[in-house]
Amino acid sequence: MRSLTNFAPSTFEERGAAVAFTTPVLAQTRVRKDSRDQLEVLVPNLSEGRGVYVVPWKSLPLAFPMTVHDRMLHDLIAKADGCSPDDVRKAVLEAARCGLAGAGAVAAAEAALGDDEEQRLLINYQLIVEALKAVGLESTEILRVGLTSAEGQKLTRDLMMKAAQRLGLEPTELYGRIAELAVLMESIGVAASPKPARLRRLMRDLQGFRDSMTDWATDNVSEAAPIGGFCAEVAEHTVNHARNVIGQLDQAMASFETLLRQWETKRPQIRKASSRLSWLLDGWEYLILLWSDALTQDRYSQDMAVHDIFRVIPLLPRDEERINQSLMADKLHASQKRSVRAYVDWRSGQLDVDLVMRIETLKGKAA
């Protein structure tokens, strides 16, 4: 374990992806790869200071007591090919389905996976409709008979062959381009979708968090008020960046014929924007749920929740934001007499069971 006192990552990859551990001290800690392509975890400072502890991934169970669920999640991430937000989410859902974080977490994971499957079917249908519309073909008959029915699939094939001819593409090439685009846009969806996809919903929820935290910090006279204001400001900057990325993607989708014709040059742009949006919103879902839960409790619990959020808030990397949020956080921390939550009894090495149960409850609300 080593300590980085002034930790101000330049890129999302350096910041790492948030991991939904249920062990309180490790909740929302971040995993990344080191210079040797080995996994390591960034644990926010446990004392009054700022900065992070950097722990080799394989050493994490030796450095901190962990719940059984977290040991399983730790193992799943170690076996995964990467540590992007999507890679970590996949491992988190797999671990949650095993029931080690409670029945609520199982239900939430099943709901999230069900939503993913629904969005996968929906985006494929929507992109086929967009492709047909781009070349002047009608698609309402597909909707009437059903895309997954035998008649619907035959009708789709016939129409897509006509669309490919008008675009000057082979049918297999058109199908391939739509399939690639569907994978990249699955978690984002299209602007006109009747059911917004996961990342659009998350951005909407983050806007609500920003507004709620701003109101709370304005009306509050406690020492936590400036911290709440800072958290709202970080959320505001994140929302602005996310809105810009979604705007770029929606603009590209609006010129669908051009997108299909120029897919070889447009693909890297769509992939980069999709990945960037995932990184921008990474780690916010848990904090939004944490704050929503705190608003139902007393003022002291809200103050502590604000400190908990501040401890792991996803600051934008320096390459993404002209304002150095890490420097602002350090200055804010230095001016505060912070209350420190006891995440673990270091004399006995026992976990705070109440906190573990609280995190598991929040995990059960995530979908």
Side-chain angles (χ1 to χ4, degrees):
M1 183 187 297
R2 69 183 192 278
S3 176
L4 296 179
T5 305
N6 298 312
F7 179 64
S10 298
T11 65
F12 286 119
E13 290 77 10
E14 187 181 353
R15 187 182 76 174
V19 183
F21 285 128
T22 58
T23 302
V25 72
L26 298 177
Q28 300 302 295
T29 52
R30 292 184 170 269
V31 60
R32 68 179 186 181
K33 288 191 175 181
D34 62 17
S35 58
R36 299 171 300 167
D37 208 37
Q38 299 296 308
L39 294 179
E40 62 184 13
V41 64
L42 307 175
V43 182
N45 204 315
L46 309 178
S47 64
E48 293 281 355
R50 287 285 295 170
V52 297
Y53 292 106
V54 183
V55 184
W57 189 254
K58 63 182 180 181
S59 301
L60 191 61
L62 302 176
F64 297 94
M66 298 173 71
T67 62
V68 177
H69 165 275
D70 288 358
R71 288 179 178 273
M72 179 181 184
L73 177 55
H74 175 271
D75 187 52
L76 288 171
I77 292 175
K79 292 176 179 177
D81 292 332
C83 58
S84 70
D86 289 342
D87 295 324
V88 171
R89 180 175 180 268
K90 182 179 179 181
V92 165
L93 292 177
E94 185 177 348
R97 292 180 71 189
C98 293
L100 295 174
V106 175
E110 294 289 356
L113 291 168
D115 180 70
D116 288 350
E117 181 60 28
E118 183 180 343
Q119 286 295 335
R120 193 172 298 118
L121 294 172
L122 182 60
I123 191 67
N124 273 281
Y125 171 73
Q126 290 170 328
L127 294 183
I128 288 172
V129 169
E130 289 297 319
L132 298 177
K133 185 166 61 175
V135 295
L137 293 173
E138 184 60 57
S139 60
T140 53
E141 188 65 15
I142 298 176
L143 182 60
R144 187 187 69 81
V145 301
L147 180 63
T148 58
S149 69
E151 185 182 355
Q153 290 180 10
K154 181 180 183 303
L155 182 58
T156 300
R157 285 195 299 271
D158 293 342
L159 288 172
M160 288 291 282
M161 286 184 68
K162 293 179 181 179
Q165 290 174 351
R166 296 186 185 185
L167 290 168
L169 300 172
E170 291 293 326
T172 54
E173 188 174 6
L174 177 57
Y175 269 112
R177 294 182 180 191
I178 288 178
E180 283 186 90
L181 182 57
V183 170
L184 295 175
M185 294 295 293
E186 180 184 318
S187 61
I188 303 163
V190 297
S193 177
K195 181 179 180 180
R198 178 172 59 88
L199 292 182
R200 287 184 191 266
R201 297 198 305 267
L202 183 53
M203 189 183 79
R204 177 199 64 199
D205 293 344
L206 183 55
Q207 291 173 317
F209 170 92
R210 172 204 61 195
D211 295 342
S212 173
M213 186 66 79
T214 299
D215 292 342
W216 183 88
T218 302
D219 296 338
N220 197 337
V221 295
S222 73
E223 290 184 347
I227 297 177
F230 174 77
C231 293
E233 186 175 342
V234 174
E236 169 71 13
H237 285 280
T238 303
V239 165
N240 289 339
H241 281 278
R243 186 184 294 118
N244 288 338
V245 175
I246 288 180
Q248 294 167 11
L249 289 167
D250 287 345
Q251 187 175 13
M253 296 291 288
S255 304
F256 204 70
E257 181 178 356
T258 302
L259 182 61
L260 290 175
R261 289 183 184 277
Q262 300 178 6
W263 180 241
E264 293 303 321
T265 56
K266 297 287 187 180
R267 180 201 289 119
Q269 300 169 24
I270 300 296
R271 178 181 290 115
K272 181 178 180 181
S274 174
S275 174
R276 183 164 176 253
L277 185 62
S278 181
W279 279 106
L280 275 167
L281 298 175
D282 176 55
W284 279 105
E285 182 181 22
Y286 174 80
L287 301 187
I288 292 167
L289 290 170
L290 175 61
W291 181 239
S292 178
D293 180 67
L295 289 175
T296 66
Q297 302 178 39
D298 58 37
R299 182 66 72 172
Y300 173 76
S301 297
Q302 293 171 13
D303 287 355
M304 292 303 295
V306 167
H307 284 298
D308 288 343
I309 291 168
F310 179 63
R311 178 174 174 265
V312 295
I313 194 166
L315 301 178
L316 289 169
R318 287 176 295 173
D319 289 355
E320 294 287 328
E321 180 66 32
R322 59 182 178 84
I323 300 173
N324 189 331
Q325 293 183 345
S326 295
L327 181 60
M328 292 175 62
D330 288 340
K331 289 181 178 178
L332 179 61
H333 182 274
S335 67
Q336 297 295 311
K337 187 176 181 181
R338 185 183 176 200
S339 300
V340 179
R341 188 189 292 277
Y343 294 97
V344 65
D345 185 337
W346 295 105
R347 293 166 298 179
S348 65
Q350 297 298 308
L351 296 173
D352 185 324
V353 177
D354 289 339
L355 268 179
V356 172
M357 293 179 65
R358 179 186 174 200
I359 293 170
E360 290 181 351
T361 299
L362 292 175
K363 199 177 184 71
K365 296 178 181 179

